[in-house]
Amino acid sequence: MPYLQPKGGWIELICGSMFSGKTEELIRRVRRAKIARQQVQVFKPKIDNRYAAAHVASHDGLQFEAENIEEARQILDRLRPDTTVVAIDEAQFLDWTVADVARLLADRGLRVIITGLDLDFRGEPFGPMPLLMAEAEMVDKLHAICVMCGAPASRTQRLINGQPANYSDPVIMVGASEVYEARCRDCHQVPGRPQSLGERVTSNE
Ligand code: TMP
Ligand code: MG
Ligand code: ZN
């Protein structure tokens, strides 16, 4: 990817539905950086321990060493003086401070690579991702393939006992293909979802 960044730091954001290859792409980028003998640190929120505790892991088994954090500010505490590339996987689970942390690192001249789900199972912006997307210099939105119709999938369907999960279900539920599948806008189902923003605002009152 031709990143024309002469000097200084920047933020690259990789988002998209589950199974779109976000972590795979993050691993690809950090491996390239390591080959160039750059000092890389990878972080991930502790909440997600699906495949490997001390690694970020893609759905088909690619792995890269990673440090677990509970809060975004721990990235600053753990940062080594010689690190020039910081990658953060699953940023949707972190607190909103992650945007300040990313900005601070980029301002200091570091390359920051962030991945996360732009949308939750309800099809709504996930945690700090909208903020990160706005702050980033580069945003890649990856797609999976809709399991229903084969179109590019931008959304993640949660299935509970084979049925679409309800809008009122909790947002955070760690899992993989046993609970989630990629779907396009047309095939994505969220029973109980308010029809419009207006309706959602009034129903929250
Ligand atoms: P992935 O993007 O690497 O596939 O991982 C996404 C993680 O987020 C996975 O553990 C499932 C979880 N998740 C939620 O907690 N809530 C949601 O609404 C969705 C879509 C995923
Ligand atoms: Mg992932
Ligand atoms: Zn579809």
Side-chain angles (χ1 to χ4, degrees):
M1 221 172 300
Y3 291 138
L4 300 171
Q5 295 286 339
K7 267 199 218 132
W10 67 89
I11 302 169
E12 300 164 30
L13 192 105
I14 305 160
C15 64
S17 68
M18 286 182 71
F19 314 105
S20 64
K22 299 183 297 296
T23 307
E24 208 176 307
E25 178 60 21
L26 176 139
I27 292 172
R28 196 186 72 81
R29 292 188 194 182
V30 297
R31 282 190 177 161
R32 296 280 105 32
K34 282 213 90 154
I35 291 167
R37 288 189 288 276
Q38 296 181 344
Q39 296 302 316
V40 181
Q41 275 185 274
V42 182
F43 297 94
K44 62 166 195 171
K46 202 169 180 185
I47 191 165
D48 189 1
N49 52 6
R50 270 176 307 177
Y51 298 114
H55 293 86
V56 291
S58 74
H59 290 285
D60 41 324
L62 274 182
Q63 291 197 346
F64 196 93
E65 196 181 297
E67 303 174 43
N68 283 302
I69 47 165
E70 275 148 59
E71 291 171 39
R73 55 176 307 122
Q74 292 174 327
I75 294 172
L76 300 177
D77 303 337
R78 308 242 185 113
L79 197 68
R80 291 191 295 266
D82 57 346
T83 295
T84 54
V85 180
V86 167
I88 310 167
D89 197 24
E90 307 258 28
Q92 77 274 359
F93 289 139
L94 287 169
D95 55 286
W96 287 54
T97 325
V98 66
D100 297 313
V101 170
R103 186 186 309 123
L104 209 118
L105 296 175
D107 286 349
R108 280 194 202 165
L110 276 77
R111 175 183 177 195
V112 184
I113 307 169
I114 304 179
T115 71
L117 287 169
D118 44 351
L119 299 173
D120 61 25
F121 79 98
R122 304 172 304 175
E124 298 195 348
F126 207 149
M129 292 301 289
L131 211 59
L132 291 167
M133 288 169 82
E135 185 71 34
E137 272 85 355
M138 290 152 258
V139 178
D140 285 298
K141 192 149 173 162
L142 305 184
H143 294 87
I145 292 173
C146 175
V147 298
M148 306 295 279
C149 75
S154 54
R155 280 153 175 74
T156 308
Q157 180 71 51
R158 182 187 288 171
L159 295 164
I160 305 294
N161 301 322
Q163 296 304 309
N166 198 275
Y167 183 83
S168 59
D169 281 13
V171 169
I172 295 181
M173 187 174 153
V174 171
S177 55
E178 69 291 354
V179 221
Y180 292 106
E181 62 188 31
R183 293 199 187 179
C184 71
R185 181 191 290 277
D186 199 41
C187 298
H188 187 241
Q189 290 176 291
V190 190
R193 185 181 186 176
Q195 293 302 304
S196 66
L197 182 61
E199 199 182 321
R200 184 153 71 231
V201 170
T202 21
S203 68
N204 284 343
E205 281 169 3

